[in-house]
Amino acid sequence: MKKLPIGIQTFAKLRDPEENYVYVDKTEILLQLVESGEYFFLSRPRRFGKSVMLSTLYELFSGNRDLFNGLYIEDKWDWERKFPVIRISFGSGEFRTEEKFDAVIYHNLKHNQQWLAISCDDPLDDPGFCFAELIRNAASRYKEKVVILIDEYDKPILDHITDRELARSNRDKLKGFYSIMKDLDEYIRFVMITGVSKFAKMNLFSGLNNLDDITIDERFATICGYTHQEVERSFAERLQGVDMDKLREWYNGYNYFGDPLYNPFDILLFLSKNREYRPYWWSTGNPSFLIDLLNEQRRYLPELENCVVDDIILDTFDVDHIDLVALLWQTGYLTFAEKFTRRDRLFYRLKVPNKEIQLSLNELLVDYLTNQRQDKIPLQDSLYDALQAGDLETFHKTLHALFAGIPYQNYANKIIERYEGYYASVIYAYLASLGLPLVAEDVSSKGRVDMSIILPQAVYVIEFKVDNAPGSALEQIKEKGYHRKYLADDRTVYIIGIGFDSNKKNITEFEWETV
């Protein structure tokens, strides 16, 4: 049985027969890429396979045919042509000062000089000058145009995204470094730049007008990540007895307008850790930046899922304008549900990609909104059991206890005042953290109801009101008929109106009916 390539980012090691690693063949789509243009940009979440893709391109352009034996591209590539390849990575290093940032660039340039056996005419005291010399000298020495591969292009910015001054300084430094390429087109055969975020071209790549952003290009949707078919084919021996529908539910769902994708890290860890369902990918990240941005932007949490955005929001992300929804999409906490046209413009509806993110993201939000880190598990258990059993009396009592138990400092720090729909956001985060199928801002022909929970045996349609007249929440459901679309099947449908009093800071009205 072949070994799982956990943490392996080097194509040569993946393809070494003595190592015997599983490799999911991406060379068909890579061939399509290199034949379709010269300058490309790709944004994907962390641990999605970007570094392996760049390593594969390095070996391809270097003409190392033996590594591609048996792969799609083996008999379709001109192996006689070998291109000089410059590889730049900002994946490691310190970027807090200009001197430390320069040291990372110098390190990259020095290593490129060593493996290309060329040097800059000037000592390493001007990174931009040396980069330009490296490109020109490589083309001259090898009599071929140069390939440039840049990995984690945005890490110097993202590492300090909450320190706007430093992030802005690092952005401007990167802009100057990347702009070196714009006047050297005659020496360049191919460029691929990858990272997590999708910073606005005008603010980071203003000189590279021919840079083709393939982030949501359906032709290259599966260039990184695993499709379900690839998982079944490549890991068949290890998947015996696995519930494939449950695997999809937990880890599949990333959508770039091709086949839905798994993050490779989840699949590899799932298979190596006794096939237990855990938030493997989530656990490797540091989502504290989400809390910082929530403090700034004060978003109504149910709107984050099922929200609609346009290209302007997705393409104008920058240090001076960090849109929370755009960042959640870029970092992998949201993905596309659909693309549609309205008023001759493209729009995108977003969603949480899978159960791993639903559970983990909302656990984080529960902790942030309620500060109930020690008490939340009993509350979650009670809510879950009540909904499964249709026990709305217990559901009501648990929600009341939940709000009664929110610590005083949440009110003293005015966290409630900062949030539109705080009470609904708390219930949404708690219920979503249970892993139940939940639709926020559920659409019907007469408008949107705040929340629907859709179980195999029952549907709960819930409307919230704050400081409104008694009965108004339940009455609105009836009047608008939010629940009617669920009456066609055999499930029990509950309609629930919940009223909050902002002075008492709790539920003061809980009405429900079975329809």
Side-chain angles (χ1 to χ4, degrees):
M1 186 180 295
K2 290 191 172 185
K3 295 189 295 185
L4 297 171
I6 299 171
I8 308 302
Q9 299 181 338
T10 306
F11 180 72
K13 189 172 183 178
L14 283 173
R15 296 292 296 161
D16 186 340
E18 294 185 4
E19 296 284 357
N20 195 35
Y21 284 112
V22 175
Y23 173 68
V24 176
D25 187 1
K26 295 289 186 178
T27 60
E28 181 176 2
I29 195 169
L30 288 177
L31 179 62
Q32 182 184 359
L33 176 74
V34 299
E35 289 182 341
S36 65
E38 296 180 350
Y39 290 77
F40 295 99
F41 169 84
L42 176 71
S43 165
R44 285 289 185 273
R46 57 189 168 80
R47 295 186 179 272
F48 223 84
K50 301 184 295 296
S51 296
V52 171
M53 178 196 68
L54 291 180
S55 181
T56 307
L57 288 169
Y58 167 75
E59 301 294 353
L60 185 66
F61 280 109
S62 297
N64 294 325
R65 180 172 187 164
D66 290 347
L67 296 175
F68 294 85
N69 289 338
L71 301 184
Y72 175 87
I73 205 170
E74 180 185 9
D75 59 353
K76 301 172 180 66
W77 185 258
D78 182 0
W79 299 104
E80 298 302 314
R81 295 187 69 184
K82 299 179 185 294
F83 298 85
V85 183
I86 295 173
R87 293 178 288 175
I88 303 289
S89 175
F90 292 106
S92 61
E94 176 61 69
F95 309 103
R96 289 187 181 277
T97 66
E98 185 172 1
E99 292 75 20
K100 291 181 177 181
F101 197 161
D102 281 341
V104 175
I105 298 177
Y106 294 158
H107 177 80
N108 273 281
L109 295 175
K110 181 178 179 180
H111 276 273
N112 276 282
Q113 290 177 76
Q114 289 173 344
W115 64 58
L116 290 171
I118 58 179
S119 62
C120 298
D121 294 337
D122 197 81
L124 289 176
D125 58 3
D126 184 337
F129 178 85
C130 187
F131 188 30
E133 285 295 291
L134 193 61
I135 295 170
R136 283 191 288 261
N137 291 349
S140 175
R141 175 183 174 88
Y142 292 93
K143 309 304 179 187
E144 287 283 5
K145 291 186 176 183
V146 176
V147 172
I148 302 172
L149 307 175
I150 300 177
D151 197 10
E152 299 202 56
Y153 85 100
D154 52 348
K155 192 171 183 292
I157 308 173
L158 289 184
D159 277 2
H160 306 288
I161 196 68
T162 57
D163 183 344
R164 296 296 169 83
E165 184 176 351
L166 180 55
R168 193 178 299 113
S169 174
N170 287 353
R171 178 200 64 192
D172 294 342
K173 190 172 188 66
L174 286 173
K175 180 179 179 179
F177 183 73
Y178 297 141
S179 68
I180 297 299
M181 291 181 281
K182 71 179 181 180
D183 294 325
L184 298 172
D185 181 65
E186 62 183 298
Y187 302 101
I188 296 175
R189 160 64 181 91
F190 181 86
V191 173
M192 171 59 86
I193 301 172
T194 71
V196 170
S197 62
K198 190 169 155 338
F199 280 94
K201 284 185 184 180
M202 58 184 285
N203 289 328
L204 199 52
F205 302 117
S206 57
L208 294 176
N209 298 325
N210 53 348
L211 191 65
D212 185 1
D213 181 358
I214 60 169
T215 299
I216 54 174
D217 187 327
E218 61 186 41
R219 295 174 299 166
F220 308 112
T222 60
I223 197 168
C224 294
Y226 295 159
T227 68
H228 190 74
Q229 293 74 22
E230 288 171 338
V231 169
E232 288 186 316
R233 182 172 61 248
S234 301
F235 303 98
E237 292 180 279
R238 297 176 181 271
L239 289 168
Q240 297 298 318
V242 170
D243 183 336
M244 299 306 287
D245 288 334
K246 186 174 181 179
L247 189 72
R248 272 196 184 102
E249 179 187 10
W250 258 85
Y251 301 121
N252 202 310
Y254 290 98
N255 176 27
Y256 299 98
F257 306 112
D259 291 337
L261 296 168
Y262 296 92
N263 185 310
F265 190 78
D266 274 326
I267 293 299
L268 297 176
L269 267 291
F270 171 79
L271 294 174
S272 72
K273 301 293 185 182
N274 201 30
R275 305 190 301 188
E276 293 178 341
Y277 292 93
R278 296 179 181 176
Y280 297 109
W281 176 78
W282 173 275
S283 299
T284 65
N286 179 18
S288 59
F289 71 90
L290 296 180
I291 301 305
D292 293 330
L293 288 176
L294 283 169
N295 274 326
E296 288 182 12
Q297 300 190 18
R298 309 176 187 179
R299 298 296 292 264
Y300 175 44
L301 296 187
E303 287 181 348
L304 293 179
E305 184 175 357
N306 206 32
C307 65
V308 174
V309 297
D310 60 14
D311 283 318
I312 294 175
I313 290 177
L314 299 184
D315 289 339
T316 57
F317 181 85
D318 193 52
V319 174
D320 298 314
H321 180 75
I322 302 173
D323 184 90
L324 177 62
V325 172
L327 188 61
L328 285 169
W329 163 62
Q330 292 172 16
T331 49
Y333 302 119
L334 292 175
T335 192
F336 293 111
E338 63 172 326
K339 175 171 57 176
F340 58 93
T341 301
R342 180 189 299 158
R343 296 182 276 109
D344 291 329
R345 290 176 56 194
L346 276 176
F347 292 89
Y348 308 91
R349 190 178 307 279
L350 300 174
K351 65 175 183 177
V352 172
N354 51 46
K355 194 166 188 174
E356 175 191 20
I357 305 304
Q358 179 188 343
L359 292 172
S360 303
L361 178 60
N362 284 286
E363 286 276 355
L364 177 74
L365 296 175
V366 165
D367 291 345
Y368 169 62
L369 290 170
T370 70
N371 203 21
Q372 292 174 327
R373 291 170 175 80
Q374 304 301 319
D375 302 324
K376 69 181 176 184
I377 292 178
L379 292 168
Q380 289 169 319
D381 287 343
S382 182
L383 291 171
Y384 183 89
D385 292 342
L387 290 169
Q388 294 289 356
D391 182 357
L392 292 185
E393 184 63 28
T394 298
F395 184 61
H396 176 203
K397 289 180 179 178
T398 305
L399 289 177
H400 195 278
L402 186 164
F403 284 101
I406 292 176
Y408 169 77
Q409 59 261 36
N410 277 46
Y411 304 113
N413 295 336
K414 298 186 177 181
I415 189 173
I416 290 180
E417 293 178 18
R418 290 201 301 268
Y419 275 91
E420 176 192 355
Y422 171 82
Y423 300 99
S425 292
V426 168
I427 294 180
Y428 169 81
Y430 254 104
L431 297 182
S433 75
L434 305 179
L436 299 175
L438 184 151
V439 180
E441 301 288 303
D442 192 9
V443 178
S444 74
S445 61
K446 294 293 185 65
R448 297 171 182 264
V449 69
D450 288 324
M451 186 183 306
S452 296
I453 305 167
I454 306 168
L455 304 182
Q457 75 280 10
V459 176
Y460 299 88
V461 179
I462 305 173
E463 182 72 18
F464 304 107
K465 295 292 181 183
V466 179
D467 297 333
N468 276 55
S472 60
L474 187 66
E475 188 59 36
Q476 182 172 322
I477 297 175
K478 293 179 180 179
E479 180 182 335
K480 298 291 186 179
Y482 295 143
H483 59 290
R484 288 176 189 152
K485 66 179 181 178
Y486 296 112
L487 297 178
D489 56 37
D490 295 330
R491 288 177 293 194
T492 303
V493 177
Y494 299 93
I495 57 174
I496 305 171
I498 301 177
F500 298 92
D501 187 310
S502 61
N503 292 317
K504 297 180 179 179
K505 299 178 175 59
N506 211 322
I507 295 171
T508 53
E509 181 181 7
F510 187 97
E511 296 184 318
W512 65 275
E513 294 181 9
T514 304
V515 293

